[in-house]
């Protein structure tokens, strides 16, 4: 136990906190118990998923995703439709419209659903109302229900070396690389829609988005059930997404020559006083132009990795789950390592790609549209190109501003909170069997109410300028480390008791007694 916080250097204390699973940048909140009037300062884990911000919270989140992946991959029972997880991102409509415009208000502005001439047709097969894979029985009576591990990539933008940098930077297509990264989620959604249509059942998946060495995003996916290898390759080759936006290849306004907000008209005007077309007006112009072409077309690369995995092959399943979630705690820019590990060529490549994603529009409401002579959707005063608040534009994300984990609705039928509760329950049972009480995770819940219906506990953010009783970072870390050591000691001792659950049951929780509390 650490008894005197002043005797421990900050960097040593930070290392001890990480080693013992204590959040290194906790959020302090003031808790008031309305029943007793007692007030206390409570530290709450930051919950970051990035190791550069908090190694402890990011590793905890990664392990939770590992459990979610493993639990849904080889299940052999169906999840009732009414139990679908509404907290997961909704799938896009599977109506087969390939050329639908991005602005879907009132469904008035649409394009023909005809497929592109340069894309092969997709086969249509009868659809089964199931989410589990097909079971195969061998002559000796054994039944197998295999599943898949897929990897999808984007096409080449130019030859790259072993360090991930272009052989010829001047010939490398940074614009297309940036546009593909900004709209990678759209092509992924389209792939799953097409795959389901060609597989004949409701394909369920757990997928993670990572960066290749060249910093282009690619997708790893655990897929329930098996689909013929050639079908998967055909679907990847036939999948595309057309972006029916105004052209954003050559900027119209650069430098100081940027449109300004006019208070009288509530519109953006250029230096000559010309009013910029609104987003809707720009899309209307595209719809009226029969010769208009998409601003960008996203396609998948020809490289598709396909592996079949049996649920009974625990070593292969565990290795695949670990590979799927290995880089979830790293940002796209962390692919090359820390700043002191990046070579000059890698730094230049990263900077050039970042420059592209910073100035390209990420959405209809992006302020970067002002560079291309279009007023952003829902525009307001003060918008400046290059300063869109979306994280897709920053150096860490390099175009990927959305979720890094994509899970279909009927993968496990549980929210992440429910998966976390499952892990906590295993710890609780282990401690209870040994006669040790685990701290109540809901003891300060904001949902706890008194008989009159009012909340018992009130949470308020601390005011560092006014609150004089706030503990120091040293104090918070010291208390957290001591608490974790005590919890881990109790848990390890409880596991040695004869009534503790078997090791294979506890393995899913690892050493999460403290995180469960």
């Amino acid at each position: 136990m650490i008894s005197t916080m002043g005797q421990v250097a900050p960097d040593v204390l930070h290392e001890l906190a990480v080693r013992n699973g204590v959040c290194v940048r906790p959020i302090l909140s003031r808790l008031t118990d309305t029943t007793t009037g007692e007030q206390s300062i409570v530290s709450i884990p930051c919950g970051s998923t990035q190791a550069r911000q908090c190694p402890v919270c990011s590793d905890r989140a990664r392990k939770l995703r590992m459990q979610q992946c493993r639990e849904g991959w080889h299940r052999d029972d169906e999840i009732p439709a009414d139990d679908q997880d509404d907290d997961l991102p909704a799938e896009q409509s599977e109506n087969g419209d390939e050329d639908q415009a991005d602005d879907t208000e009132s469904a008035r502005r649409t394009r023909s659903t005809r497929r592109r001439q340069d894309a092969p047709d997709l086969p249509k097969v009868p659809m089964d109302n199931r989410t589990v894979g097909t079971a195969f029985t061998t002559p000796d009576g054994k039944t197998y229900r295999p599943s898949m591990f897929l990897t999808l990539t984007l096409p080449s933008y130019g030859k790259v070396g072993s360090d991930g940098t272009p052989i010829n930077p001047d010939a490398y297509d940074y614009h297309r690389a940036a546009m593909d990264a900004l709209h990678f989620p759209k092509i992924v959604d389209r792939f799953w829609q097409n795959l389901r249509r060609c597989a004949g059942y409701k394909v369920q998946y757990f997928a993670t988005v990572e960066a290749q060495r060249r910093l282009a995003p690619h997708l790893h996916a655990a897929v329930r059930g098996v689909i013929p290898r050639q079908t998967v390759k055909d679907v990847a080759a036939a999948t595309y997404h057309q972006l029916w936006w105004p052209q954003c290849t050559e900027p119209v306004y650069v430098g100081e020559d940027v449109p300004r907000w006019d208070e009288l008209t509530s519109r953006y005007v250029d230096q000559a006083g010309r009013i910029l077309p609104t987003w809707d007006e720009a899309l209307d112009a595209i719809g009226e132009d029969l010769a208009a072409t998409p601003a960008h077309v996203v396609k998948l690369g020809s490289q598709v990795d396909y592996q079949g995995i049996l649920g009974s092959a625990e070593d292969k399943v565990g290795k695949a789950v670990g590979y799927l979630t290995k880089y979830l705690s790293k940002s796209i820019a962390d692919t090359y390592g820390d700043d002191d590990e990046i070579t000059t060529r890698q730094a230049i490549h990263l900077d050039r790609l970042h420059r592209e994603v910073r100035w390209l529009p990420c959405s209809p409401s992006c302020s970067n549209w002002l560079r291309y002579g279009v007023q952003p959707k829902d525009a307001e005063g003060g918008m400046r190109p290059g300063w869109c608040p979306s994280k897709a534009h920053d150096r860490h994300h390099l175009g990927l501003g959305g979720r890094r984990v994509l899970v279909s609705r009927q993968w496990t039928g549980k929210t992440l909170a429910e998966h976390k509760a499952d892990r906590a329950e295993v710890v609780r049972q282990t401690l209870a069997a040994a006669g040790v009480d685990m701290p109540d995770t809901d003891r300060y819940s904001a949902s706890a109410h008194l008989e009159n219906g009012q909340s018992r506990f009130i949470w308020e953010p601390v005011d560092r300028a006014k609150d004089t009783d706030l503990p120091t970072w040293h104090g918070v870390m010291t208390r957290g480390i001591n608490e974790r050591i005590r919890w881990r000691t109790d848990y390890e001792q409880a596991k040695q008791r004869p009534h503790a659950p078997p090791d294979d049951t506890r393995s899913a929780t690892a050493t999460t007694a403290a995180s469960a509390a």
Side-chain angles (χ1 to χ4, degrees), residues 95-175:
N95 54 15
D97 293 349
E98 297 295 340
D99 297 348
Q100 199 169 25
D102 275 70
D103 185 275
T104 56
E105 290 184 359
S106 303
R108 289 191 301 268
R109 191 182 291 110
T110 58
R111 290 267 164 180
S112 168
T113 58
R114 238 181 1 172
R115 289 185 58 78
R116 291 178 61 90
Q117 296 300 309
D118 58 354
D121 291 331
L122 288 166
K124 292 184 179 180
V125 299
M127 179 67 68
D128 291 339
N129 187 25
R130 60 181 174 87
T131 65
V132 299
T134 303
F136 300 92
T137 303
T138 61
D140 60 358
K142 292 183 178 180
T143 300
Y144 298 93
R145 197 183 296 272
S147 291
M148 298 181 295
F149 181 87
L150 298 181
T151 299
L152 304 176
T153 61
L154 287 171
S156 172
Y157 310 114
K159 291 185 177 180
V160 296
S162 58
D163 62 350
T165 64
I167 300 297
N168 183 0
D170 292 335
Y172 196 80
D173 196 341
Y174 280 99
H175 176 82

Side-chain angles (χ1 to χ4, degrees), residues 38-67:
E38 179 183 0
Q39 288 191 343
S40 58
I41 301 297
V42 179
S43 60
I44 304 172
C46 67
S48 174
T49 58
Q50 294 295 299
R52 58 185 167 83
Q53 296 177 338
C54 181
V56 173
C57 288
S58 63
D59 186 62
R60 193 172 297 158
R62 186 181 67 85
K63 289 178 179 177
L64 192 60
R65 289 296 191 179
M66 291 176 68
Q67 177 184 335

